Amino acid sequence: MTTITPLIAGNWKMNGLKQSLSEISELAQLLTTGEAPRALVCICPPATLLHAVAEQGASSGILAGGQDCHTANAGAHTGDISVSMLADAGAQYVIVGHSERRADHGESDDMVRAKAEAAIGAGLKPIVCVGESEAQRDAGQAVSVVAAQLAASLPDAAGQHSVVVAYEPIWAIGTGRTPNSADIAEIHDAIRAQLVERFGETGATIQILYGGSLKPQNAREILAIENVNGGLVGGASLLAKDFYTIISAV
Ligand code: PEP
């Protein structure tokens, strides 16, 4: 059986000022004084804090990631951030295709795939997000919607480079609601089967994260589900204590 090191990634979204770096110090302290974590730990802060998080987290093994990237490496794209800038700031990961970007910025699967390709090209690991809406789940389309998104959002290069997949049902993000364990297992098993079919052995090693209202209270149950290889955590990653509790649940 393939052993996959889990990843717990925090997505701070558009939250965090310089003073929030105290949460990184606290998390670093918890990680270095408590039991050694059984997961890789990554924080994806806003771009303004990326360099500081990467520097401050390095000694305690906290990795840093961006929340989005452009497909181009440089140029006339006001307000955007390139993969080489993220790497230069110390990022090792970048989230692509988060449902908030798909909704707020009209990002298509093609664009998400191009961003993932750009990330791989810069030596970053893309965390490629997929997930169904509530209406799609209610219509019994969750598995097929996620399969179609995954097929179109994941580049072929995922067969030779490190990538991460995050299943995030849109209706669970920031709502306090989650699918039940059987529903999470159904999607994660389907994603795993699709990855193995497309990428062979490599597909069996790709981390599949669950995201959507993952909290200290439900982390143990959700992270124990087969083919759940960690989590993408929004709200509960903002406080070091909560995030550490989730990491410790692995
Ligand atoms: C997210 O947006 O990636 C997320 C999982 O958010 P939350 O944990 O707050 O639901």
Side-chain angles (χ1 to χ4, degrees):
M1 208 180 111
T2 317
T3 310
I4 301 177
T5 305
L7 169 68
I8 304 291
N11 174 14
W12 281 12
K13 312 192 186 193
M14 199 172 69
N15 298 294
L17 302 174
K18 277 187 283 183
Q19 66 196 37
S20 318
L21 294 171
S22 62
E23 298 299 327
I24 301 296
S25 315
E26 190 179 336
L27 180 62
Q29 196 173 2
L30 289 165
L31 287 168
T32 47
T33 53
E35 203 187 319
R38 282 182 222 102
L40 297 169
V41 176
C42 172
I43 293 283
C44 302
T48 47
L49 296 179
L50 185 55
H51 183 56
V53 166
E55 290 227 311
Q56 211 171 304
S59 58
S60 54
I62 301 171
L63 305 167
Q67 296 180 10
D68 177 50
C69 61
H70 198 277
T71 54
N73 216 25
H77 303 288
T78 304
D80 281 316
I81 189 156
S82 77
V83 285
S84 51
M85 290 170 180
L86 294 174
D88 188 49
Q92 299 193 29
Y93 291 89
V94 59
I95 299 169
V96 294
H98 190 284
S99 59
E100 286 155 14
R101 291 210 59 91
R102 289 178 186 262
D104 296 353
H105 300 271
E107 293 191 5
S108 63
D109 290 334
D110 285 350
M111 193 180 293
V112 173
R113 189 177 66 247
K115 289 184 176 201
E117 268 162 6
I120 289 169
L124 298 175
K125 299 179 182 79
I127 301 175
V128 180
C129 301
V130 293
E132 83 284 359
S133 67
E134 185 156 31
Q136 288 165 331
R137 174 156 287 274
D138 289 346
Q141 297 166 347
V143 172
S144 60
V145 164
V146 168
Q149 272 182 3
L150 188 66
S153 302
L154 213 51
D156 288 339
Q160 299 91 47
H161 298 272
S162 284
V163 302
V164 179
V165 172
Y167 166 57
E168 298 207 305
I170 299 167
W171 53 274
I173 293 178
T175 61
R177 299 161 57 208
T178 60
N180 63 37
S181 293
D183 288 341
I184 294 175
E186 183 187 31
I187 300 278
H188 279 247
D189 289 352
I191 291 175
R192 174 67 65 213
Q194 188 174 340
L195 292 174
V196 170
E197 189 180 323
R198 180 162 168 197
F199 300 115
E201 276 300 295
T202 306
T205 65
I206 294 175
Q207 289 147 326
I208 309 172
L209 312 186
Y210 169 79
S213 296
L214 192 58
K215 306 272 182 222
Q217 299 83 335
N218 59 23
R220 199 164 283 278
E221 180 178 345
I222 292 175
L223 295 173
I225 298 169
E226 206 180 336
N227 283 319
V228 173
N229 313 117
L232 182 54
V233 187
S237 70
L238 294 170
L239 290 179
K241 275 194 187 66
D242 287 350
F243 194 50
Y244 180 71
T245 306
I246 295 174
I247 295 163
S248 305
V250 173

